[in-house]
Amino acid sequence: MSVLSPEAPPDALASRLAAEIADAQHELAVFAFCDSRGTVIGTRRITSPWADAVELPLRRIVADAVLLDAARVLMAHNHPSGEAWPSRADRMVTARLARALAAVDTRLVDHIVVGQGGAMWSFRAAGLL
């Protein structure tokens, strides 16, 4: 079991999620749902038929959080053809997801963008979450 500390920079759990998707040829997203202590209680992987985009079903992600009674969520997605830098769309969907999760008393702890070579960019470390 992984423990996710809200005060820490991208941690072992973030690194594990990033490693899981770093070499994927298509863009995809992974989610770790955690209880109030930071223990992982569920995961979701969303694949995409497109190389450069992944559509996030926000309602399904929020429903997963509710069904699992998750207190925290960590998200990671990859940019298979580029840098670990969030696009404008990444920033917008992160804000929307954070608001949607907050409405059900769940915190989006971080969103990690993974680039080529496993480079990672953290919304939390950048002060955006």
Side-chain angles (χ1 to χ4, degrees):
M1 299 277 178
S2 297
V3 175
L4 178 63
S5 168
E7 294 78 32
D11 61 4
L13 178 57
S15 295
R16 190 175 82 213
L17 291 179
E20 183 180 321
I21 62 175
D23 296 326
Q25 299 300 309
H26 288 78
E27 193 161 321
L28 53 92
V30 291
F31 296 84
F33 299 90
C34 303
D35 65 15
S36 60
R37 294 177 318 213
T39 303
V40 177
I41 54 177
T43 61
R44 175 176 286 279
R45 181 182 182 115
I46 299 171
T47 59
S48 173
W50 306 291
D52 61 350
V54 64
E55 189 171 320
L56 295 181
L58 297 183
R59 288 170 35 148
R60 185 176 300 153
I61 296 162
V62 172
D64 286 346
V66 170
L67 289 172
L68 292 166
D69 197 24
R72 304 174 187 170
V73 175
L74 176 71
M75 172 189 176
H77 90 280
N78 67 329
H79 287 171
S81 63
E83 297 180 14
W85 186 257
S87 67
R88 184 170 189 258
D90 293 339
R91 291 173 188 259
M92 290 173 51
V93 76
T94 301
R96 286 181 56 217
L97 180 57
R99 285 191 306 269
L101 287 168
V104 295
D105 295 324
T106 303
R107 180 174 171 224
L108 181 60
V109 176
D110 206 348
H111 175 178
I112 304 294
V113 181
V114 183
Q116 289 179 333
M120 294 174 28
W121 192 93
S122 163
F123 273 76
R124 182 177 59 194
L128 299 175
L129 279 176

